Amino acid sequence: MENRVEERLKQLGIVLPTAGNPAASYTNYVIVNGLMFVSGKGPAGHPKGKLGQEYTTSEGQYFARLAGIEVLAVLKDALGSLDHVRRVVKIQGFVNAAPDFEEHHKVLDGCSDLMLDVFGEKGVHARSVLGAVSVRDNLPIIVDSIFEVRV
């Protein structure tokens, strides 16, 4: 029997990649008391550059969506099924931005909209977004996330 969330991914045309390995001395996730903390993920393909400099807001939204897909890959790898996600609790974005860039919130919509598309009402979440002078590997965005899960 097909999982509901994975069926939704197919409808959206999303194929999850293999969960990437951490970039340093940490783990992809930790589960504590039903909350799953997913380590920061960047967009697939590892584009480099700043929003408001090398990239536009709409390109940043696309990168945020790709980072969200990386987060979903970690969830699937850890839980076996995305149906074990009870809700998206919080999404936090770190936008690698030029000093005068002011649309950080619009960039993170790429990830937030993905979570709503995939999980429906369970995808409604709290969030925060910060501009950063630099991030690892000069990625345009890194997404940090928290989920309530059934384990």
Side-chain angles (χ1 to χ4, degrees):
M1 181 178 194
E2 193 68 40
N3 293 323
R4 288 189 324 228
V5 177
E6 273 122 45
E7 182 59 34
R8 182 69 184 136
L9 289 176
K10 284 182 185 176
Q11 292 170 358
L12 294 167
I14 297 171
V15 176
L16 295 181
T18 302
N21 293 320
S25 299
Y26 59 91
T27 184
N28 266 339
Y29 67 91
V30 173
I31 299 174
V32 177
N33 296 325
L35 293 177
M36 183 171 172
F37 299 80
V38 179
S39 294
K41 294 293 171 191
H46 310 290
K48 295 182 182 292
K50 292 186 177 293
L51 276 290
Q53 193 169 299
E54 286 85 13
Y55 299 115
T56 65
T57 299
S58 64
E59 289 171 313
Q61 288 171 334
Y62 175 70
F63 294 144
R65 181 178 177 84
L66 291 178
I69 290 170
E70 294 292 320
V71 168
L72 295 176
V74 171
L75 290 167
K76 169 81 170 147
D77 183 60
L79 302 172
S81 169
L82 293 176
D83 285 324
H84 293 296
V85 174
R86 290 187 170 175
R87 82 165 295 139
V88 182
V89 176
K90 184 164 186 183
I91 302 293
Q92 185 170 23
F94 299 90
V95 177
N96 187 7
D100 60 345
F101 186 74
E102 295 182 354
E103 296 188 320
H104 307 78
H105 60 294
K106 291 180 182 179
V107 169
L108 194 54
D109 282 346
C111 183
S112 291
D113 291 347
L114 172 70
M115 295 303 159
L116 293 171
D117 290 345
V118 170
F119 294 110
E121 279 186 27
K122 297 187 303 183
V124 176
H125 55 273
R127 78 175 208 185
S128 56
V129 62
L130 304 164
V133 67
S134 69
V135 300
R136 74 172 166 83
D137 298 328
N138 198 28
L139 295 171
I141 186 168
I142 293 177
V143 172
D144 189 41
S145 50
I146 304 170
F147 298 83
E148 180 183 10
V149 297
R150 184 175 54 247
V151 290

